[in-house]
Amino acid sequence: DEVFNQAEIDSIIAFNAMMGLECGGLDILRDQSDGRIYIVDVNKTDMGPLIALRWREKMASMKLLGQALRAWLIARERSGGDGRGRVT
């Protein structure tokens, strides 16, 4: 909610559904002139934090990714394993 508005989040979720992507990484760019977003890369196996980050930032990023993955897996299990449980 800090980066994307609800309409953008809905579009990203719809894109993931069309791609059949339950879990992975997206590279999303925002056009500074008109504010529109563009999904420019999709990976079913996310590489994690950027190489350019400092060690502490990498560790913090990996911790957040791990927490998000765990929450997603729990929500998926509770929803019957269909991957539709949205976790924020």
Side-chain angles (χ1 to χ4, degrees):
D1 296 336
E2 294 176 23
V3 177
F4 302 110
N5 63 42
Q6 190 58 52
E8 292 168 335
I9 291 169
D10 293 342
S11 293
I12 293 166
I13 291 169
F15 176 86
N16 288 341
M18 286 188 290
M19 292 293 292
L21 184 70
E22 289 184 293
C23 183
L26 302 174
D27 291 344
I28 303 175
L29 302 177
R30 183 177 300 280
D31 187 319
Q32 290 184 351
S33 63
D34 63 15
R36 292 190 300 175
I37 62 169
Y38 296 89
I39 298 174
V40 297
D41 192 22
V42 180
N43 297 288
K44 65 180 179 178
T45 54
D46 193 11
M47 70 176 249
L50 297 173
I51 295 170
L53 292 177
R54 294 185 183 115
W55 177 254
R56 284 186 180 180
E57 293 167 333
K58 284 182 185 182
M59 293 298 101
S61 177
M62 290 303 295
K63 182 178 181 179
L64 287 172
L65 283 171
Q67 290 170 342
L69 177 59
R70 182 175 190 274
W72 177 79
L73 288 169
I74 290 168
R76 181 179 176 180
E77 184 177 313
R78 288 181 182 161
S79 68
D82 65 0
R84 295 171 197 237
R86 181 165 172 248
V87 178
T88 58

